[in-house]
Amino acid sequence: MSAPSLAPITTPSNGTVPTPGNLFTLDNRVFCCYLFWATVLVAKMLLMSLLTALQRFRYKIFPNEEDLFFKNIEVQFDDPHVERVRRAHRNDMENILPYFIMALIYISTNPNQDVACNLFRVASLARIVHTLVYAVYPVPQPSRILAFGTMLLITFYMAAVVALRTLSFI
Amino acid sequence: MSAPSLAPITTPSNGTVPTPGNLFTLDNRVFCCYLFWATVLVAKMLLMSLLTALQRFRYKIFPNEEDLFFKNIEVQFDDPHVERVRRAHRNDMENILPYFIMALIYISTNPNQDVACNLFRVASLARIVHTLVYAVYPVPQPSRILAFGTMLLITFYMAAVVALRTLSFI
Amino acid sequence: MSAPSLAPITTPSNGTVPTPGNLFTLDNRVFCCYLFWATVLVAKMLLMSLLTALQRFRYKIFPNEEDLFFKNIEVQFDDPHVERVRRAHRNDMENILPYFIMALIYISTNPNQDVACNLFRVASLARIVHTLVYAVYPVPQPSRILAFGTMLLITFYMAAVVALRTLSFI
């Protein structure tokens, strides 16, 4: 199963030791762990759309003429309840979407399995906390900054690993 | 190099049928179908930028000092024609970008080919409809909600498949 | 099923050279080049978050009650210095995130190595220029339009290559 992934690797491939043939399969524990937690984050992000919709119906705030589902209301923006969820959602896009790509390509460097899996777990849980303290139940700082910074640092770490490994292909 | 990909696999799979080593090649019909429809959606998203630019020039609404291509105009925000396209574009980012990752990793579970290909087709066509009824020619609800919900449900379905398959790697 | 991955491919490919079984490994120079430049762009995008934070602290503009780190200030939006960085960041999301997926799947078509690597380099450098002339030091047009258009055209080119190659899977 993970036999190929156990083979030692000597940097950017151009030596004698073969890189494991394919790390993007269900045989690779790191990839499986990525699959699970990326899926959790995708679901979490999609729930932000539904949370926005919930707030819109709750406070009757709609941005388009064709969305005025209630009588005697007009299009309206800048409602603080709706905008808070939208800011949290935008922050998700700014951070989680680049993370998806970064973590995926980080797998191709065949990282230590425990390190990689734990990075995926911590980063994902941090973003769930971020949503809770930002959009669901606002909490004093620095809770949100810490949750935000956790995935940010993990993504930067992965970026450093990949960039150093592939620097000769600049 | 692709030798290990021929070995049968015993792990999280559902028993007897071996998962093929590498599903991310042009030999895999599901991957090819993903490639085509992901490409269509990428092109569709990029066209939103051009549609926004078109609206900006048409109504002479520019958000930066350096963009004032006409005489006697000032930076301006909140024009309904421009903002409608921008909302549609943001909705694309919120939904299509997570879908790209979700559908890509869903392929690694080696789903039924017909099911997977049809999901890609329906989800992509739904988002094209979403753009048409939101940004191009506004149409009464629930047309947009249905188009929005179609990709949302498909992405949630893929998430469920992947999460159940990789649950042991939590 | 993975046997055919060793067989030569006859479709739109460029003739005699067989497609390798797996192009998403560190053995593939094109993939390594993608890794490096995608990593650069991920880091660049994350720095936009930090640049926004920097502007928020510099001009004391915060969008949430819990972010009011200074005395006697209120939540505030629409500060031009902050909004400029946020527009640049949003433009990154609109363009770089679809590019990440498009360039990744473009690799699966086994493109000419020099062409592909140079496309990755030019597109990435163009977006770095885009950030500099938009968010760091505003410069008269058409500098930003050219930087924006460069990645846009490269992404459309890749989309055309992939779509033509996989057209039969529509």
Side-chain angles (χ1 to χ4, degrees):
Chain A
M1 164 189 145
S2 50
S5 62
L6 294 170
I9 284 174
T10 47
T11 0
S13 87
N14 28 15
T16 46
V17 182
T19 319
N22 188 5
L23 294 159
F24 298 108
T25 74
L26 297 187
D27 302 321
N28 181 5
R29 193 185 131 214
V30 174
F31 185 60
C32 288
C33 191
Y34 172 81
L35 291 189
F36 181 80
W37 289 103
T39 299
V40 167
L41 287 176
V42 165
K44 195 210 78 58
M45 285 188 73
L46 297 184
L47 289 176
M48 298 303 282
S49 289
L50 301 183
L51 185 57
T52 304
L54 188 78
Q55 296 289 72
R56 288 200 182 285
F57 275 90
R58 194 170 160 192
Y59 297 100
K60 300 184 182 174
I61 307 291
F62 299 100
N64 302 294
E65 289 286 343
E66 68 266 30
D67 302 342
L68 301 175
F69 295 104
F70 302 95
K71 280 179 185 168
N72 303 321
I73 59 170
E74 296 192 346
V75 294
Q76 200 180 329
F77 307 93
D78 301 332
D79 176 80
H81 304 93
V82 173
E83 291 307 309
R84 174 174 283 273
V85 177
R86 277 166 55 83
R87 282 197 300 277
H89 198 173
R90 178 173 161 152
N91 195 279
D92 275 359
M93 292 197 286
E94 290 173 355
N95 289 277
I96 298 178
L97 295 174
Y99 163 85
F100 280 151
I101 288 290
M102 195 66 243
L104 183 66
I105 64 182
Y106 167 69
I107 295 170
S108 72
T109 65
N110 198 23
N112 178 288
Q113 297 199 341
D114 291 326
V115 171
C117 288
N118 285 325
L119 290 178
F120 297 157
R121 288 167 187 140
V122 172
S124 305
L125 292 174
R127 288 306 301 195
I128 292 171
V129 170
H130 184 273
T131 297
L132 294 176
V133 303
Y134 199 171
V136 178
Y137 188 83
V139 158
Q141 294 281 20
S143 53
R144 198 178 89 233
I145 290 179
L146 292 176
F148 166 81
T150 302
M151 177 178 268
L152 192 78
L153 287 179
I154 288 173
T155 312
F156 271 126
Y157 167 77
M158 292 174 175
V161 170
V162 172
L164 288 174
R165 185 73 175 267
T166 56
L167 194 55
S168 58
F169 298 90
I170 192 169
Chain B
M1 181 177 149
S2 50
S5 64
L6 296 170
I9 283 172
T10 45
T11 356
S13 154
N14 38 5
T16 48
V17 183
T19 318
N22 188 5
L23 294 158
F24 298 108
T25 75
L26 296 187
D27 302 319
N28 181 5
R29 191 184 133 215
V30 174
F31 185 59
C32 288
C33 190
Y34 172 81
L35 290 189
F36 181 80
W37 288 102
T39 298
V40 168
L41 287 176
V42 165
K44 194 210 78 59
M45 285 188 73
L46 297 184
L47 289 176
M48 299 302 282
S49 291
L50 301 183
L51 186 57
T52 304
L54 189 77
Q55 296 290 72
R56 288 200 182 287
F57 275 89
R58 194 169 160 193
Y59 297 100
K60 301 187 182 173
I61 306 290
F62 299 99
N64 301 294
E65 289 286 344
E66 68 265 30
D67 302 342
L68 302 176
F69 295 104
F70 301 95
K71 279 180 186 168
N72 302 323
I73 60 170
E74 296 192 348
V75 293
Q76 201 181 327
F77 307 93
D78 301 333
D79 176 81
H81 304 93
V82 173
E83 291 307 309
R84 174 175 282 274
V85 176
R86 278 166 54 82
R87 282 197 300 276
H89 198 172
R90 177 174 162 150
N91 195 280
D92 275 358
M93 293 198 285
E94 290 173 355
N95 289 277
I96 298 179
L97 295 174
Y99 163 85
F100 280 152
I101 288 290
M102 195 66 244
L104 183 66
I105 64 182
Y106 167 69
I107 295 171
S108 72
T109 65
N110 198 22
N112 178 287
Q113 296 201 341
D114 291 327
V115 171
C117 288
N118 285 325
L119 290 178
F120 298 157
R121 289 168 186 139
V122 172
S124 305
L125 292 174
R127 288 306 301 195
I128 292 171
V129 170
H130 183 273
T131 297
L132 294 176
V133 303
Y134 199 172
V136 178
Y137 188 84
V139 157
Q141 294 281 20
S143 53
R144 197 178 89 233
I145 289 180
L146 292 176
F148 166 82
T150 302
M151 177 179 269
L152 193 78
L153 286 179
I154 287 174
T155 313
F156 271 126
Y157 166 77
M158 292 174 176
V161 170
V162 173
L164 289 175
R165 186 73 174 266
T166 57
L167 194 55
S168 58
F169 297 90
I170 193 169
Chain C
M1 182 180 154
S2 49
S5 64
L6 297 169
I9 285 176
T10 45
T11 349
S13 159
N14 36 6
T16 48
V17 183
T19 316
N22 187 5
L23 293 158
F24 298 109
T25 75
L26 297 187
D27 301 321
N28 180 6
R29 192 184 133 215
V30 174
F31 185 60
C32 289
C33 191
Y34 172 81
L35 290 190
F36 181 79
W37 289 103
T39 299
V40 168
L41 287 177
V42 165
K44 194 211 79 57
M45 285 189 72
L46 297 184
L47 289 176
M48 299 302 282
S49 289
L50 301 183
L51 185 56
T52 304
L54 189 78
Q55 296 288 71
R56 287 200 182 286
F57 275 90
R58 194 169 160 193
Y59 297 100
K60 300 184 182 175
I61 306 292
F62 299 100
N64 302 295
E65 289 286 343
E66 69 266 29
D67 302 343
L68 302 175
F69 296 104
F70 302 94
K71 280 179 185 167
N72 303 322
I73 59 170
E74 297 192 348
V75 295
Q76 202 181 327
F77 308 92
D78 300 333
D79 176 80
H81 303 94
V82 173
E83 291 307 310
R84 174 176 283 273
V85 177
R86 278 166 54 83
R87 283 197 299 275
H89 198 172
R90 178 174 162 151
N91 195 278
D92 275 0
M93 292 197 287
E94 291 173 354
N95 289 276
I96 299 178
L97 295 174
Y99 162 85
F100 280 151
I101 288 292
M102 195 65 243
L104 184 65
I105 64 183
Y106 167 68
I107 295 171
S108 72
T109 64
N110 198 22
N112 179 288
Q113 296 200 341
D114 291 327
V115 171
C117 289
N118 284 325
L119 290 178
F120 297 158
R121 289 168 186 138
V122 172
S124 305
L125 292 173
R127 287 306 301 196
I128 292 172
V129 170
H130 183 273
T131 297
L132 294 176
V133 303
Y134 198 171
V136 177
Y137 189 83
V139 157
Q141 294 281 19
S143 53
R144 199 178 88 232
I145 289 179
L146 292 176
F148 166 82
T150 302
M151 177 178 270
L152 192 78
L153 287 179
I154 288 174
T155 312
F156 271 127
Y157 167 77
M158 293 174 176
V161 169
V162 173
L164 289 174
R165 184 74 175 267
T166 57
L167 193 55
S168 58
F169 298 90
I170 193 167

